[in-house]
Each structure stands twice: as C-alpha cells, then as structure tokens.
Amino acid sequence: LQGKAICCILDVGCSNSIFLDVVIHELKAKFGLGIDLDTDALPKPSSCRAALLADALSLPVADSSVDLVICNHTYEHVPDARVLFQEIRRVLKSNGLVYFGAMNSSWPIEPHYHLPLIHWLPNRWSDVVMRLFGYQAGYLEQPLNYTKLRQLVQDFDLCDYTLKVIEHPKQYRAEDIVYPKIARFAYPLARLFYSVLPGYLWVLVKR
C-alpha cells in the first residue's frame, strides 16, 4: 500500500486505536475507523480517526468501501469467526487488503491468560479452570488451529509474512519478539514447526 492513495482503513477490535493510528500515519490514509465492544478502551475521535461501539459480526460500514481492514488478534474473541470474515469481505473494495494477526490454538500456552492447555480443554472444563483462577466469566475465546485458519480465509489470496518476520526481525521492527542474534536459529525451527507456531502474520487480498 505504500505510495497508494488510501481513503479508508477499518480496525476490527481496535481497543484504544494505537495500532490504527500508527497505520493511518504510515500510509497517510484519509480516514480510519475503529470498532470495539469495549467502551472503556475506545479513544476520543481525532481529525482523521473515529472509534465506535459496534459488533464485528455486523459492521456499520457500506459494501466495498474500505481499502484496508486490520484484524489483529480479534477473530478468537467473536462468537463466529466465519461471519466476521464474511463481513470483512463485504466491506472491502476489490483487491482490498486485510492485515490478519492470528492466534494458533495448537500452541500449548494460551496467550491471553498465559495458562498451559486451557484452550485445549472442553468448554465446560476450561470454564471451571478459569473460575478457579478468578476469571468468573469462564473461557470465552474460540481459537482455531492452522488448518481451520486456512479454511477461514479461503476466499482470499494469502500472503504469508510469518517466516519473513522471524527471519528478518530488524527489517520488520520485530526485535522485541525475535531477537536478531537468534533469528538465524529461530527461522529454521519455525519453518519446521510452522503449523504449531504461536500465531501467524498474514496479509489477505480480496479476490
């Protein structure tokens, strides 16, 4: 998208919109819209960005009106990820892009609560364990494994940046995740165990 005229960016699950604000600035976008169900996190509007209380399964956006959708660690928090991506595809312009940061359920440590194997248990058991640790709402996330994630985005062309970022963390400003000194060791291991990595960085293109 560098150098292209970006009219509208949509961040699904924007929280406080820090990520969205950076992307708007870097791409010199005309306008950004963030949506979230967490009213406490939503920021005040700025000159080029608004944030709304809205449901990701019913996006308050017109068909084919968005150049770029950010879906960064959001899919596992909605009741139906399939409907989420139907909505994302609906609002995207032709050849529009999705930045998709995706949790992988095959990784044994649950990233939101840092509890091992909690997301591998049947729902009723994971709820019990979560309540024992003080989370009275239970375990609400619904993560998918690599195979199901690929099925989820099957209506898009997929550009995979996961291994590129691991191999070249400095180029992608990811030194806080992959230390450059260990990148040459991390890359072959990540390639070998790709299907069980903690998560993926995919760019999706609307066909």
Side-chain angles (χ1 to χ4, degrees):
L1 290 175
Q2 290 281 352
K4 294 184 179 181
I6 308 300
C7 293
C8 183
I9 298 173
L10 172 66
D11 189 350
V12 181
C14 66
S15 187
N16 58 15
S17 290
I18 289 178
F19 193 5
L20 176 58
D21 289 343
V22 170
V23 175
I24 291 171
H25 174 75
E26 292 290 336
L27 296 178
K28 297 179 174 58
K30 293 182 179 179
F31 183 73
L33 173 65
I35 69 159
D36 208 298
L37 285 177
D38 186 354
T39 53
D40 294 331
L42 288 174
K44 295 180 180 178
S46 68
S47 59
C48 61
R49 189 257 302 134
L52 299 176
L53 177 69
D55 186 351
L57 303 188
S58 183
L59 295 172
V61 180
D63 295 359
S64 304
S65 60
V66 175
D67 297 288
L68 169 65
V69 172
I70 299 169
C71 184
N72 191 40
H73 296 282
T74 299
Y75 88 86
E76 70 270 22
H77 298 286
V78 303
D80 193 333
R82 180 183 56 85
V83 175
L84 168 65
F85 270 85
Q86 288 175 351
E87 279 290 279
I88 288 174
R89 196 171 190 281
R90 175 183 67 80
V91 304
L92 270 179
K93 296 178 181 177
S94 180
N95 294 318
L97 302 184
V98 183
Y99 173 87
F100 185 34
M103 169 189 172
N104 180 11
S105 67
S106 296
W107 184 253
I109 306 299
E110 207 287 338
H112 303 91
Y113 305 99
H114 307 290
L115 296 173
L117 311 181
I118 185 72
H119 52 306
W120 290 6
L121 298 174
N123 288 343
R124 61 177 182 174
W125 288 109
S126 59
D127 285 345
V128 169
V129 174
M130 291 295 291
R131 291 186 179 110
L132 288 174
F133 279 91
Y135 300 98
Q136 296 306 314
Y139 186 66
L140 303 178
E141 286 70 25
Q142 299 186 50
L144 303 174
N145 61 26
Y146 170 71
T147 299
K148 291 182 178 179
L149 285 169
R150 287 300 302 258
Q151 293 172 354
L152 180 66
V153 300
Q154 63 185 345
D155 292 331
F156 297 82
D157 293 326
L158 189 154
C159 304
D160 192 345
Y161 280 83
T162 310
L163 293 177
K164 294 179 182 179
V165 172
I166 293 172
E167 186 178 17
H168 304 290
K170 188 174 182 180
Q171 178 182 340
Y172 291 97
R173 303 180 190 177
E175 298 100 319
D176 59 326
I177 298 172
V178 182
Y179 297 111
K181 290 183 179 180
I182 67 167
R184 64 192 182 105
F185 303 107
Y187 173 76
L189 287 172
R191 187 173 180 179
L192 182 63
F193 297 104
Y194 181 82
S195 65
V196 295
L197 291 178
Y200 304 103
L201 297 175
W202 293 346
V203 173
L204 312 174
V205 185
K206 180 181 178 180
R207 294 183 186 136

PDB file of all heavy atoms in Angstrom, residues 60-85:
ATOM      1  N   PRO A  60     -20.780  -1.660  10.790  1.00  0.00           N
ATOM      2  CA  PRO A  60     -21.564  -0.494  10.381  1.00  0.00           C
ATOM      3  C   PRO A  60     -20.891   0.261   9.234  1.00  0.00           C
ATOM      4  O   PRO A  60     -20.637   1.465   9.310  1.00  0.00           O
ATOM      5  CB  PRO A  60     -21.597   0.341  11.665  1.00  0.00           C
ATOM      6  CG  PRO A  60     -20.273   0.043  12.313  1.00  0.00           C
ATOM      7  CD  PRO A  60     -19.989  -1.405  12.015  1.00  0.00           C
ATOM      8  N   VAL A  61     -20.600  -0.460   8.168  1.00  0.00           N
ATOM      9  CA  VAL A  61     -19.822   0.074   7.057  1.00  0.00           C
ATOM     10  C   VAL A  61     -20.471  -0.392   5.749  1.00  0.00           C
ATOM     11  O   VAL A  61     -20.931  -1.541   5.652  1.00  0.00           O
ATOM     12  CB  VAL A  61     -18.354  -0.415   7.115  1.00  0.00           C
ATOM     13  CG1 VAL A  61     -17.547   0.141   5.961  1.00  0.00           C
ATOM     14  CG2 VAL A  61     -17.715  -0.013   8.441  1.00  0.00           C
ATOM     15  N   ALA A  62     -20.470   0.473   4.743  1.00  0.00           N
ATOM     16  CA  ALA A  62     -21.084   0.143   3.459  1.00  0.00           C
ATOM     17  C   ALA A  62     -20.273  -0.905   2.700  1.00  0.00           C
ATOM     18  O   ALA A  62     -19.063  -1.062   2.923  1.00  0.00           O
ATOM     19  CB  ALA A  62     -21.214   1.407   2.609  1.00  0.00           C
ATOM     20  N   ASP A  63     -20.929  -1.605   1.802  1.00  0.00           N
ATOM     21  CA  ASP A  63     -20.251  -2.592   0.960  1.00  0.00           C
ATOM     22  C   ASP A  63     -19.141  -1.930   0.147  1.00  0.00           C
ATOM     23  O   ASP A  63     -19.289  -0.796  -0.333  1.00  0.00           O
ATOM     24  CB  ASP A  63     -21.245  -3.230  -0.019  1.00  0.00           C
ATOM     25  CG  ASP A  63     -22.328  -4.045   0.674  1.00  0.00           C
ATOM     26  OD1 ASP A  63     -22.306  -4.131   1.912  1.00  0.00           O
ATOM     27  OD2 ASP A  63     -23.192  -4.588  -0.037  1.00  0.00           O
ATOM     28  N   SER A  64     -18.027  -2.645  -0.014  1.00  0.00           N
ATOM     29  CA  SER A  64     -16.933  -2.245  -0.916  1.00  0.00           C
ATOM     30  C   SER A  64     -16.485  -0.808  -0.688  1.00  0.00           C
ATOM     31  O   SER A  64     -16.306  -0.030  -1.638  1.00  0.00           O
ATOM     32  CB  SER A  64     -17.367  -2.425  -2.380  1.00  0.00           C
ATOM     33  OG  SER A  64     -17.781  -3.757  -2.622  1.00  0.00           O
ATOM     34  N   SER A  65     -16.276  -0.434   0.574  1.00  0.00           N
ATOM     35  CA  SER A  65     -15.941   0.953   0.894  1.00  0.00           C
ATOM     36  C   SER A  65     -14.598   1.117   1.607  1.00  0.00           C
ATOM     37  O   SER A  65     -14.175   2.243   1.855  1.00  0.00           O
ATOM     38  CB  SER A  65     -17.039   1.556   1.777  1.00  0.00           C
ATOM     39  OG  SER A  65     -17.164   0.824   2.984  1.00  0.00           O
ATOM     40  N   VAL A  66     -13.914  -0.004   1.918  1.00  0.00           N
ATOM     41  CA  VAL A  66     -12.710   0.042   2.750  1.00  0.00           C
ATOM     42  C   VAL A  66     -11.505  -0.463   1.956  1.00  0.00           C
ATOM     43  O   VAL A  66     -11.596  -1.473   1.254  1.00  0.00           O
ATOM     44  CB  VAL A  66     -12.902  -0.811   4.028  1.00  0.00           C
ATOM     45  CG1 VAL A  66     -11.625  -0.877   4.836  1.00  0.00           C
ATOM     46  CG2 VAL A  66     -14.048  -0.270   4.864  1.00  0.00           C
ATOM     47  N   ASP A  67     -10.379   0.247   2.069  1.00  0.00           N
ATOM     48  CA  ASP A  67      -9.146  -0.161   1.377  1.00  0.00           C
ATOM     49  C   ASP A  67      -8.376  -1.221   2.162  1.00  0.00           C
ATOM     50  O   ASP A  67      -7.774  -2.117   1.578  1.00  0.00           O
ATOM     51  CB  ASP A  67      -8.231   1.056   1.170  1.00  0.00           C
ATOM     52  CG  ASP A  67      -8.858   2.100   0.288  1.00  0.00           C
ATOM     53  OD1 ASP A  67      -8.968   1.864  -0.921  1.00  0.00           O
ATOM     54  OD2 ASP A  67      -9.257   3.163   0.813  1.00  0.00           O
ATOM     55  N   LEU A  68      -8.377  -1.078   3.483  1.00  0.00           N
ATOM     56  CA  LEU A  68      -7.588  -1.962   4.336  1.00  0.00           C
ATOM     57  C   LEU A  68      -8.352  -2.257   5.617  1.00  0.00           C
ATOM     58  O   LEU A  68      -8.860  -1.342   6.267  1.00  0.00           O
ATOM     59  CB  LEU A  68      -6.247  -1.300   4.680  1.00  0.00           C
ATOM     60  CG  LEU A  68      -5.390  -1.964   5.770  1.00  0.00           C
ATOM     61  CD1 LEU A  68      -4.921  -3.345   5.339  1.00  0.00           C
ATOM     62  CD2 LEU A  68      -4.195  -1.078   6.127  1.00  0.00           C
ATOM     63  N   VAL A  69      -8.431  -3.546   5.977  1.00  0.00           N
ATOM     64  CA  VAL A  69      -9.013  -3.952   7.250  1.00  0.00           C
ATOM     65  C   VAL A  69      -7.906  -4.497   8.141  1.00  0.00           C
ATOM     66  O   VAL A  69      -7.096  -5.319   7.705  1.00  0.00           O
ATOM     67  CB  VAL A  69     -10.104  -5.033   7.067  1.00  0.00           C
ATOM     68  CG1 VAL A  69     -10.555  -5.572   8.426  1.00  0.00           C
ATOM     69  CG2 VAL A  69     -11.291  -4.474   6.309  1.00  0.00           C
ATOM     70  N   ILE A  70      -7.859  -4.034   9.367  1.00  0.00           N
ATOM     71  CA  ILE A  70      -6.952  -4.580  10.375  1.00  0.00           C
ATOM     72  C   ILE A  70      -7.761  -5.529  11.253  1.00  0.00           C
ATOM     73  O   ILE A  70      -8.760  -5.131  11.855  1.00  0.00           O
ATOM     74  CB  ILE A  70      -6.337  -3.463  11.237  1.00  0.00           C
ATOM     75  CG1 ILE A  70      -5.513  -2.503  10.381  1.00  0.00           C
ATOM     76  CG2 ILE A  70      -5.475  -4.053  12.356  1.00  0.00           C
ATOM     77  CD1 ILE A  70      -5.107  -1.231  11.113  1.00  0.00           C
ATOM     78  N   CYS A  71      -7.322  -6.778  11.303  1.00  0.00           N
ATOM     79  CA  CYS A  71      -7.965  -7.773  12.173  1.00  0.00           C
ATOM     80  C   CYS A  71      -6.841  -8.437  12.963  1.00  0.00           C
ATOM     81  O   CYS A  71      -6.348  -9.508  12.612  1.00  0.00           O
ATOM     82  CB  CYS A  71      -8.749  -8.784  11.337  1.00  0.00           C
ATOM     83  SG  CYS A  71      -9.681  -9.983  12.310  1.00  0.00           S
ATOM     84  N   ASN A  72      -6.422  -7.765  14.018  1.00  0.00           N
ATOM     85  CA  ASN A  72      -5.230  -8.160  14.756  1.00  0.00           C
ATOM     86  C   ASN A  72      -5.611  -8.817  16.074  1.00  0.00           C
ATOM     87  O   ASN A  72      -6.021  -8.137  17.013  1.00  0.00           O
ATOM     88  CB  ASN A  72      -4.339  -6.932  15.004  1.00  0.00           C
ATOM     89  CG  ASN A  72      -2.977  -7.329  15.521  1.00  0.00           C
ATOM     90  OD1 ASN A  72      -2.382  -8.306  15.078  1.00  0.00           O
ATOM     91  ND2 ASN A  72      -2.466  -6.564  16.479  1.00  0.00           N
ATOM     92  N   HIS A  73      -5.503 -10.133  16.130  1.00  0.00           N
ATOM     93  CA  HIS A  73      -5.847 -10.904  17.328  1.00  0.00           C
ATOM     94  C   HIS A  73      -7.266 -10.577  17.812  1.00  0.00           C
ATOM     95  O   HIS A  73      -7.492 -10.275  18.976  1.00  0.00           O
ATOM     96  CB  HIS A  73      -4.805 -10.676  18.421  1.00  0.00           C
ATOM     97  CG  HIS A  73      -3.450 -11.184  18.023  1.00  0.00           C
ATOM     98  ND1 HIS A  73      -3.123 -12.515  18.067  1.00  0.00           N
ATOM     99  CD2 HIS A  73      -2.376 -10.536  17.511  1.00  0.00           C
ATOM    100  CE1 HIS A  73      -1.879 -12.667  17.622  1.00  0.00           C
ATOM    101  NE2 HIS A  73      -1.414 -11.489  17.274  1.00  0.00           N
ATOM    102  N   THR A  74      -8.177 -10.663  16.859  1.00  0.00           N
ATOM    103  CA  THR A  74      -9.585 -10.371  17.113  1.00  0.00           C
ATOM    104  C   THR A  74     -10.472 -11.583  16.894  1.00  0.00           C
ATOM    105  O   THR A  74     -11.446 -11.784  17.615  1.00  0.00           O
ATOM    106  CB  THR A  74     -10.067  -9.220  16.204  1.00  0.00           C
ATOM    107  OG1 THR A  74      -9.314  -8.043  16.481  1.00  0.00           O
ATOM    108  CG2 THR A  74     -11.547  -8.927  16.395  1.00  0.00           C
ATOM    109  N   TYR A  75     -10.141 -12.411  15.904  1.00  0.00           N
ATOM    110  CA  TYR A  75     -11.075 -13.453  15.464  1.00  0.00           C
ATOM    111  C   TYR A  75     -11.498 -14.385  16.599  1.00  0.00           C
ATOM    112  O   TYR A  75     -12.644 -14.854  16.648  1.00  0.00           O
ATOM    113  CB  TYR A  75     -10.472 -14.272  14.308  1.00  0.00           C
ATOM    114  CG  TYR A  75      -9.649 -15.449  14.760  1.00  0.00           C
ATOM    115  CD1 TYR A  75     -10.253 -16.681  15.029  1.00  0.00           C
ATOM    116  CD2 TYR A  75      -8.271 -15.338  14.973  1.00  0.00           C
ATOM    117  CE1 TYR A  75      -9.506 -17.767  15.478  1.00  0.00           C
ATOM    118  CE2 TYR A  75      -7.532 -16.415  15.425  1.00  0.00           C
ATOM    119  CZ  TYR A  75      -8.157 -17.625  15.674  1.00  0.00           C
ATOM    120  OH  TYR A  75      -7.430 -18.695  16.126  1.00  0.00           O
ATOM    121  N   GLU A  76     -10.574 -14.682  17.528  1.00  0.00           N
ATOM    122  CA  GLU A  76     -10.891 -15.651  18.583  1.00  0.00           C
ATOM    123  C   GLU A  76     -11.832 -15.080  19.645  1.00  0.00           C
ATOM    124  O   GLU A  76     -12.337 -15.813  20.495  1.00  0.00           O
ATOM    125  CB  GLU A  76      -9.607 -16.166  19.251  1.00  0.00           C
ATOM    126  CG  GLU A  76      -8.861 -15.163  20.111  1.00  0.00           C
ATOM    127  CD  GLU A  76      -7.823 -14.359  19.349  1.00  0.00           C
ATOM    128  OE1 GLU A  76      -7.946 -14.258  18.104  1.00  0.00           O
ATOM    129  OE2 GLU A  76      -6.900 -13.825  19.990  1.00  0.00           O
ATOM    130  N   HIS A  77     -12.085 -13.772  19.585  1.00  0.00           N
ATOM    131  CA  HIS A  77     -12.948 -13.132  20.583  1.00  0.00           C
ATOM    132  C   HIS A  77     -14.398 -12.989  20.121  1.00  0.00           C
ATOM    133  O   HIS A  77     -15.227 -12.484  20.881  1.00  0.00           O
ATOM    134  CB  HIS A  77     -12.397 -11.747  20.946  1.00  0.00           C
ATOM    135  CG  HIS A  77     -11.035 -11.780  21.565  1.00  0.00           C
ATOM    136  ND1 HIS A  77     -10.816 -12.201  22.858  1.00  0.00           N
ATOM    137  CD2 HIS A  77      -9.817 -11.453  21.061  1.00  0.00           C
ATOM    138  CE1 HIS A  77      -9.516 -12.131  23.131  1.00  0.00           C
ATOM    139  NE2 HIS A  77      -8.890 -11.682  22.053  1.00  0.00           N
ATOM    140  N   VAL A  78     -14.705 -13.374  18.891  1.00  0.00           N
ATOM    141  CA  VAL A  78     -16.072 -13.238  18.395  1.00  0.00           C
ATOM    142  C   VAL A  78     -16.763 -14.600  18.417  1.00  0.00           C
ATOM    143  O   VAL A  78     -16.099 -15.642  18.343  1.00  0.00           O
ATOM    144  CB  VAL A  78     -16.098 -12.647  16.970  1.00  0.00           C
ATOM    145  CG1 VAL A  78     -15.389 -11.300  16.928  1.00  0.00           C
ATOM    146  CG2 VAL A  78     -15.479 -13.604  15.958  1.00  0.00           C
ATOM    147  N   PRO A  79     -18.094 -14.620  18.504  1.00  0.00           N
ATOM    148  CA  PRO A  79     -18.806 -15.901  18.565  1.00  0.00           C
ATOM    149  C   PRO A  79     -18.703 -16.741  17.301  1.00  0.00           C
ATOM    150  O   PRO A  79     -18.784 -17.964  17.369  1.00  0.00           O
ATOM    151  CB  PRO A  79     -20.268 -15.471  18.812  1.00  0.00           C
ATOM    152  CG  PRO A  79     -20.187 -14.099  19.368  1.00  0.00           C
ATOM    153  CD  PRO A  79     -18.984 -13.480  18.740  1.00  0.00           C
ATOM    154  N   ASP A  80     -18.520 -16.091  16.148  1.00  0.00           N
ATOM    155  CA  ASP A  80     -18.476 -16.828  14.883  1.00  0.00           C
ATOM    156  C   ASP A  80     -17.482 -16.160  13.944  1.00  0.00           C
ATOM    157  O   ASP A  80     -17.804 -15.157  13.287  1.00  0.00           O
ATOM    158  CB  ASP A  80     -19.871 -16.870  14.244  1.00  0.00           C
ATOM    159  CG  ASP A  80     -19.962 -17.866  13.098  1.00  0.00           C
ATOM    160  OD1 ASP A  80     -18.932 -18.143  12.450  1.00  0.00           O
ATOM    161  OD2 ASP A  80     -21.078 -18.375  12.834  1.00  0.00           O
ATOM    162  N   ALA A  81     -16.268 -16.707  13.873  1.00  0.00           N
ATOM    163  CA  ALA A  81     -15.220 -16.110  13.040  1.00  0.00           C
ATOM    164  C   ALA A  81     -15.576 -16.161  11.562  1.00  0.00           C
ATOM    165  O   ALA A  81     -15.143 -15.315  10.783  1.00  0.00           O
ATOM    166  CB  ALA A  81     -13.899 -16.829  13.290  1.00  0.00           C
ATOM    167  N   ARG A  82     -16.372 -17.144  11.168  1.00  0.00           N
ATOM    168  CA  ARG A  82     -16.775 -17.256   9.765  1.00  0.00           C
ATOM    169  C   ARG A  82     -17.612 -16.041   9.353  1.00  0.00           C
ATOM    170  O   ARG A  82     -17.398 -15.460   8.288  1.00  0.00           O
ATOM    171  CB  ARG A  82     -17.565 -18.546   9.564  1.00  0.00           C
ATOM    172  CG  ARG A  82     -18.056 -18.796   8.153  1.00  0.00           C
ATOM    173  CD  ARG A  82     -18.885 -20.063   8.092  1.00  0.00           C
ATOM    174  NE  ARG A  82     -19.993 -20.001   9.042  1.00  0.00           N
ATOM    175  CZ  ARG A  82     -21.165 -19.427   8.768  1.00  0.00           C
ATOM    176  NH1 ARG A  82     -21.361 -18.858   7.589  1.00  0.00           N
ATOM    177  NH2 ARG A  82     -22.119 -19.416   9.681  1.00  0.00           N
ATOM    178  N   VAL A  83     -18.551 -15.642  10.207  1.00  0.00           N
ATOM    179  CA  VAL A  83     -19.375 -14.467   9.919  1.00  0.00           C
ATOM    180  C   VAL A  83     -18.518 -13.206   9.911  1.00  0.00           C
ATOM    181  O   VAL A  83     -18.709 -12.309   9.084  1.00  0.00           O
ATOM    182  CB  VAL A  83     -20.520 -14.341  10.944  1.00  0.00           C
ATOM    183  CG1 VAL A  83     -21.314 -13.052  10.733  1.00  0.00           C
ATOM    184  CG2 VAL A  83     -21.447 -15.548  10.840  1.00  0.00           C
ATOM    185  N   LEU A  84     -17.559 -13.133  10.832  1.00  0.00           N
ATOM    186  CA  LEU A  84     -16.635 -11.991  10.859  1.00  0.00           C
ATOM    187  C   LEU A  84     -15.962 -11.805   9.512  1.00  0.00           C
ATOM    188  O   LEU A  84     -15.925 -10.688   8.970  1.00  0.00           O
ATOM    189  CB  LEU A  84     -15.580 -12.205  11.948  1.00  0.00           C
ATOM    190  CG  LEU A  84     -14.377 -11.269  11.925  1.00  0.00           C
ATOM    191  CD1 LEU A  84     -14.787  -9.833  12.192  1.00  0.00           C
ATOM    192  CD2 LEU A  84     -13.325 -11.729  12.931  1.00  0.00           C
ATOM    193  N   PHE A  85     -15.452 -12.881   8.932  1.00  0.00           N
ATOM    194  CA  PHE A  85     -14.727 -12.737   7.666  1.00  0.00           C
ATOM    195  C   PHE A  85     -15.665 -12.541   6.479  1.00  0.00           C
ATOM    196  O   PHE A  85     -15.260 -11.961   5.466  1.00  0.00           O
ATOM    197  CB  PHE A  85     -13.763 -13.899   7.468  1.00  0.00           C
ATOM    198  CG  PHE A  85     -12.419 -13.606   8.053  1.00  0.00           C
ATOM    199  CD1 PHE A  85     -12.166 -13.848   9.390  1.00  0.00           C
ATOM    200  CD2 PHE A  85     -11.423 -13.023   7.296  1.00  0.00           C
ATOM    201  CE1 PHE A  85     -10.947 -13.536   9.950  1.00  0.00           C
ATOM    202  CE2 PHE A  85     -10.192 -12.699   7.839  1.00  0.00           C
ATOM    203  CZ  PHE A  85      -9.953 -12.957   9.173  1.00  0.00           C
TER     204      PHE A  85
END
